[in-house]
Amino acid sequence: MVVGELTQERDLVILGGGPAGYTAAIRASQLGRKVTLIEQAQLGGLCLNKGCIPSKVVAHAADIKQQMNHMSALGFSFNPTHDFSQLAEYRERTIRQLRTGVESLCQANAIEVVHGTASFLADDRIGVELGHQFDTYRFNDVVIATGSHSIEQDSPSVLNAEQLYQLSELPERLVIIGQDYIAIEAAMSFQALGTSVTLIADTFGLDPSLEKELRRLFKKQKIQLVTGTVTAIEADGEVTVTVVKQGQETTWSAPFLFQSLPRVPHTLELGLERIGVTLAEDGTIPVDPFGQTNRPHIYAIGDVTTGPAIATRAIHEAKRTAEHLAGQLADPTVPYYPTIIRSLPPIVSIGLTEQAATDAGHSIRTGQFALNANGATMIEAGSGFIKVISDATTTLILGIHMIGEGAVELAGVFSQALELHAKEEDVRFPVMPHPSRNEAWTEAVESLLGQAIHLPPRQQDVLTKS
């Protein structure tokens, strides 16, 4: 190993080049800090290279495939076939283009990018190893944004989330164990592309109205939904999963099993305990509202801290912490993080469910607008609904839950409504384009009062609960 002769002086060092890391680096540079970004693999992190982007490429292809029936109704005649290997090439090309974009942005913002594996030598020094080279850096501040990873199994037939979306051939059959957004997306995407999918899950943690519609869609899309307790997994060639429900045992086999398990933060190899940084039992790093650890110049953001392991949280925390480190008056308020599921059709859930709202002491109203009463949705042969929960006393919007095409795009509108503490009248007043799904959002709120224009009275009974 070749050790650098001198310890190099740096201002702000950021560990990890994923959404949290490169966002913090760019924002801090914009605000005048001299930034060194250290990444052990590829800029963009697991999210861009093996997670968020690859999975959404597959979901996009599945969505296009599902639209084929509607295309024939519009007068198009063709008999398309699907080449999964070509989709895999498109996936890799998209990843390369986005990664190149991140690299260019770092260069344009005068961010020094160092490749290698980092570990703390002291609370103001870090070592970086790359092959036989080992360099040391002394910093004024450091931000830990090393992200997380899925648990990797010994068997090549048992896949984690990253491995599932690195497949170059479409599996004939796939068993999925999981109830989170990753499991739902994978089940619907692979089934749409031609895989026979079995999904083992009891509940999905969504508002009951979404759960009911989701189960209907699984049946319609011919996804085998199995409930019960997994008692055994055997991986010998094919994978066999044993499930027990009410004393009855069933087995489900496939060439591959994808099990969506909790992610593991990348913290244990950083040497944090050596310098006195507190670690929780699950490996996450406790921080204050600005991301500061128990050591004054050491910060942590994204998946290495407690909270949902999602890119939106990582990006938000990156901007907040970078602004704080630049001496700005950063807002420590935790925002509403919407649950986004790229299912077929997509789902968004933000704010309180009915149960959570009543448990919190609200007297609530609920309104639900079916998208088959919306012109834009009918033109595209879509379905679904928007459900709104409000406080019956204050009229404050408490929660919004949608399943249907356009949900991902409307998620930002829903987030803004909750962040701005919108009341019913704030949503009802603005004019929306026609025809558009924005009108369905307005009518969902109008249905809280039984005043939706495109729903008959019997479908918008005003329901108040305490």
Side-chain angles (χ1 to χ4, degrees), residues 20-165:
Y22 80 72
T23 299
I26 292 172
R27 179 53 54 87
S29 179
Q30 290 170 338
L31 296 174
R33 297 297 297 259
K34 301 297 183 183
V35 182
T36 298
L37 178 63
I38 301 173
E39 168 58 46
Q40 67 174 358
Q42 296 172 310
L43 284 180
L46 281 178
C47 178
L48 190 157
N49 294 286
K50 295 184 178 180
C52 313
I53 299 304
S55 65
K56 301 314 175 274
V57 168
V58 174
H60 172 62
D63 183 40
I64 296 296
K65 176 72 178 299
Q66 201 174 63
Q67 291 178 26
M68 294 301 178
N69 290 336
H70 180 53
M71 296 290 285
S72 62
L74 294 175
F76 295 95
S77 297
F78 49 89
N79 185 24
T81 59
H82 185 260
D83 185 341
F84 191 82
S85 63
Q86 190 170 339
L87 174 61
E89 291 176 9
Y90 178 81
R91 175 192 70 205
E92 296 307 311
R93 186 164 65 251
T94 302
I95 292 168
R96 286 194 300 271
Q97 290 173 337
L98 289 171
R99 186 169 60 240
T100 299
V102 174
E103 292 167 352
S104 298
L105 286 169
C106 288
Q107 184 178 12
N109 284 278
I111 296 165
E112 176 189 26
V113 177
V114 175
H115 288 280
T117 302
S119 59
F120 284 91
L121 306 176
D123 64 1
D124 66 345
R125 278 190 303 132
I126 202 156
V128 180
E129 182 178 354
L130 181 63
H132 297 294
Q133 182 70 26
F134 187 86
D135 295 305
T136 60
Y137 300 88
R138 181 178 286 110
F139 53 81
N140 294 323
D141 296 296
V142 65
V143 177
I144 302 167
T146 45
S148 64
H149 65 278
S150 299
I151 297 172
E152 191 168 329
Q153 304 293 333
D154 294 332
S155 171
S157 300
V158 181
L159 309 176
N160 63 21
E162 288 85 40
Q163 292 167 327
L164 177 67
Y165 289 104

Side-chain angles (χ1 to χ4, degrees), residues 311-333:
T312 48
R313 179 173 76 95
I315 293 167
H316 175 82
E317 292 180 353
K319 294 174 182 178
R320 174 212 63 196
T321 294
E323 289 162 6
H324 175 73
L325 285 168
Q328 304 285 310
L329 293 175
D331 188 345
T333 306

Side-chain angles (χ1 to χ4, degrees), residues 199-219:
L199 174 61
I200 302 173
D202 283 325
T203 184
F204 301 98
L206 299 168
D207 186 87
S209 57
L210 291 178
E211 292 252 354
K212 181 180 179 181
E213 178 66 4
L214 191 58
R215 291 174 187 276
R216 185 189 72 81
L217 289 169
F218 284 141
K219 185 175 181 179

